[in-house]
Amino acid sequence: QVQLVESGGGLVQAGGSLRLSCAASGRTFSTYAMGWFRQAPGKEREFVAVISGSGIVAYYEDSVKGRFTISVDNAKYTVYLQMNSLSPDDTAVYYCALLEGAAQRMRVTGRPDYWGQGTQVTVSS
């Protein structure tokens, strides 16, 4: 059974930084992508960023480009999201995701194969 376990959420002031981590376990993967989605109160879950397991290909949602950086440790099946210059608009529950296939497919469909339980990120003004 595949499990995704997130860590690193919390409360931060506007302009601050946080780093989220997510480790996948339960089986091995050949071609895969890992990414992040978020859901703010009263809003639908939205795509944030995705990276291929090789680390070569990455995509970002427009509002986080230049502020967030996604990276992956292929040997550990662990994905990271470095979030800088945070604003209150970034407040949401952040969900880790894994898809067996290309990173582009996660970005386009928004339907990964596995989800984490979510971690709260709160940015105060």
Side-chain angles (χ1 to χ4, degrees):
Q1 183 178 357
V2 175
Q3 286 190 318
L4 303 181
V5 179
E6 300 122 331
S7 61
L11 173 65
V12 65
Q13 289 187 333
S17 299
L18 281 175
R19 188 191 194 209
L20 305 182
S21 301
C22 172
S25 63
R27 53 166 289 195
T28 59
F29 303 93
S30 53
T31 302
Y32 71 98
M34 296 186 74
W36 296 90
F37 291 74
R38 65 185 179 185
Q39 187 167 19
K43 295 186 178 180
E44 293 186 353
R45 190 174 298 188
E46 66 174 0
F47 166 79
V48 176
V50 61
I51 190 167
S52 61
S54 64
I56 294 174
V57 178
Y59 300 100
Y60 295 89
E61 192 269 330
D62 286 346
S63 70
V64 308
K65 285 180 181 177
R67 300 188 300 122
F68 291 10
T69 303
I70 191 168
S71 59
V72 64
D73 184 333
N74 187 37
K76 297 180 180 179
Y77 294 116
T78 299
V79 65
Y80 306 94
L81 187 66
Q82 178 66 43
M83 304 184 294
N84 299 328
S85 301
L86 285 162
S87 77
D89 289 340
D90 296 313
T91 294
V93 177
Y94 283 70
Y95 295 91
C96 176
L98 187 148
L99 177 142
E100 294 191 75
Q104 171 79 343
R105 185 154 65 91
M106 184 186 291
R107 183 180 72 88
V108 171
T109 68
R111 294 181 178 179
D113 297 310
Y114 306 99
W115 291 100
Q117 80 284 359
T119 185
Q120 178 70 46
V121 171
T122 302
V123 184
S124 63
S125 56

